[in-house]
Amino acid sequence: LCMAQVHALAILKGFDELGEEDREVLSQELSRTGCLGQSYSPRLTPSDAHERPQGPAFLIYYGPAFLQNLGEDSPARRLSLLVELYRCSRALWPATVSKVAVNATVRVDVIKGLSTKEIMEATQEGDFWVLVKHNESEAFVEKCSRKRLNKMMMQPHVLQVLDMGCLEAYPP
């Protein structure tokens, strides 16, 4: 979580405010290296990461920018959205031993500069935030209308609808 740079202390405090399940998701996913035989210090990572390594590992492209653009956002809210991104990514790429040396890129370009308030406003106006798998190693967060979402579901798109309810669990 040091990728937050100037906001690192606030993000670390926000991590402590997350529920146990959310902290576990972040800890587990951030412990995956995507390199066979490589792992982080056992003292700092969940035991599963060493005892049963799996992949693919996710690179949240623009993840650091997403955390650095904290603005007026609650760090816990920002992190809860990161947790939701990891959950949806894991649904698109289930963890397996055979993928331990594989990486998948999750692009968050469209939300990196938005506040959680702006993200929620789009949802309240009827838009959806989806994670769309473009190929075997890449997915993008996209904002789409109900009409576009219905079209995407009728075509062979593999996607996950992001649950923005995760933001409501933490005060702004």
Side-chain angles (χ1 to χ4, degrees):
L1 296 175
C2 292
M3 62 183 160
Q5 294 181 353
V6 71
H7 297 296
L9 291 177
I11 293 294
L12 288 171
K13 184 179 177 198
F15 179 82
D16 291 338
E17 294 171 10
L18 292 175
E20 185 178 339
E21 188 178 315
D22 285 354
R23 285 193 313 269
E24 181 61 29
V25 168
L26 275 181
S27 296
Q28 186 68 37
E29 294 299 347
L30 290 170
S31 295
R32 299 182 200 277
T33 66
C35 297
L36 188 61
Q38 182 184 31
S39 62
Y40 295 104
S41 171
R43 295 177 299 117
L44 302 173
T45 58
S47 59
D48 250 15
H50 299 282
E51 296 167 10
R52 290 178 292 283
Q54 296 180 326
F58 299 121
L59 166 64
I60 306 292
Y61 203 88
Y62 289 119
F66 177 73
L67 292 178
Q68 291 164 15
N69 288 328
L70 186 60
E72 298 297 316
D73 276 347
S74 148
R77 282 187 92 176
R78 206 95 174 150
L79 287 170
S80 72
L81 184 49
L82 190 60
V83 170
E84 180 62 10
L85 287 165
Y86 276 116
R87 282 192 179 112
C88 288
S89 299
R90 188 54 63 205
L92 294 176
W93 287 281
T96 64
V97 173
S98 65
K99 301 279 186 185
V100 72
V102 174
N103 293 284
T105 302
V106 177
R107 301 281 305 253
V108 298
D109 313 42
V110 72
I111 63 168
K112 72 177 180 189
L114 298 178
S115 68
T116 56
K117 180 182 177 189
E118 291 169 314
I119 292 168
M120 283 300 293
E121 285 172 354
T123 302
Q124 291 163 350
E125 291 169 5
D127 287 326
F128 293 86
W129 296 97
V130 295
L131 183 60
V132 182
K133 189 174 182 180
H134 285 253
N135 55 53
E136 285 307 309
S137 62
E138 194 171 45
F140 289 76
V141 171
E142 299 179 17
K143 181 173 93 169
C144 65
S145 65
R146 182 179 310 271
K147 182 178 180 179
R148 181 165 174 247
L149 179 59
N150 285 332
K151 283 183 182 179
M152 291 173 80
M153 292 185 332
M154 295 300 290
Q155 298 171 355
H157 285 95
V158 179
L159 59 87
Q160 287 284 304
V161 177
L162 296 170
D163 180 4
M164 291 306 165
C166 67
L167 298 176
E168 296 169 354
Y170 302 98

